[in-house]
Amino acid sequence: KPMEVTVEDCEAILAAQKKSGAKLMIAYRLHHEPGTLEIIDRVRNGDFGDVRLFSSTFTQPLKEDNHRAKHGFNAGPTLDMSVYCSNAVRNIFGQEPISVTAFGFRTPGSKLGLEHDTVTVVLLFPFVICATYTVGYTHDSFEEYTVVGTKGSLR
């Protein structure tokens, strides 16, 4: 996740770190976990053939008084949850997307006050690889991803 949402806030954090002499770290551990490393190795070793597809769903119910359900740039599932899906696919493929498209909607009857409480993202990578994922706040807790290649798949 981002250290902060504005350049000014990041600069203030860096200035405070420099003034205090404290060590500043931004921790994102998932790409170092044993299960993740095993999947990356299997994909890159060709266990599934040429990997062409990645799909993921990451959802959780969110109460309307939760700070992540407020209006504004840093509210909603995109900045909060998408980072996990997009980093997973980028690490698994070892590539950066060349095209990204997103579609969002507000669930009928949702009281979260967000323009989009559910977002689906499509990422295209070089070598005919496509990734899709959906993140949302108005669903049961669910997290899963699938990798599909020419000789096998992983869920």
Side-chain angles (χ1 to χ4, degrees):
K1 293 186 178 183
M3 180 168 76
E4 252 304 339
V5 295
T6 69
V7 171
E8 293 79 18
D9 288 344
C10 289
E11 289 173 345
I13 291 170
L14 293 171
Q17 179 269 329
K18 187 175 183 178
K19 181 178 178 182
S20 71
K23 187 176 280 190
L24 175 65
M25 297 172 56
I26 307 299
Y28 183 79
R29 60 172 171 65
L30 290 177
H31 59 282
H32 295 292
E33 289 186 350
T36 301
L37 294 173
E38 178 185 352
I39 291 166
I40 290 169
D41 285 343
R42 291 184 67 195
V43 167
R44 294 188 186 167
N45 287 333
D47 289 5
F48 310 106
D50 294 328
V51 174
R52 297 285 183 227
L53 300 173
F54 171 97
S55 64
S56 178
T57 303
F58 185 21
T59 59
Q60 59 184 294
L62 199 68
K63 294 181 180 179
E64 60 189 270
D65 62 344
N66 189 296
H67 70 280
R68 296 177 292 165
K70 305 298 180 198
H71 288 286
F73 173 76
N74 59 347
T78 303
L79 284 180
D80 180 35
M81 300 171 72
S82 285
V83 64
Y84 300 103
C85 303
S86 60
N87 280 340
V89 71
R90 291 171 54 241
N91 284 312
I92 288 169
F93 291 153
Q95 299 180 39
E96 296 299 322
I98 56 174
S99 175
V100 178
T101 304
F103 308 90
F105 65 88
R106 183 177 179 170
T107 303
S110 172
K111 296 179 182 178
L112 292 180
L114 297 168
E115 182 178 356
H116 303 117
D117 58 45
T118 303
V119 177
T120 295
V121 178
V122 178
L123 302 98
L124 299 178
F125 290 81
F127 310 111
V128 195
I129 298 171
C130 180
T132 60
Y133 64 81
T134 300
V135 293
Y137 283 158
T138 57
H139 317 279
D140 189 31
S141 290
F142 187 80
E143 53 185 272
E144 175 182 81
Y145 71 81
T146 303
V147 175
V148 180
T150 56
K151 296 181 180 176
S153 61
L154 167 71
R155 178 178 267 178

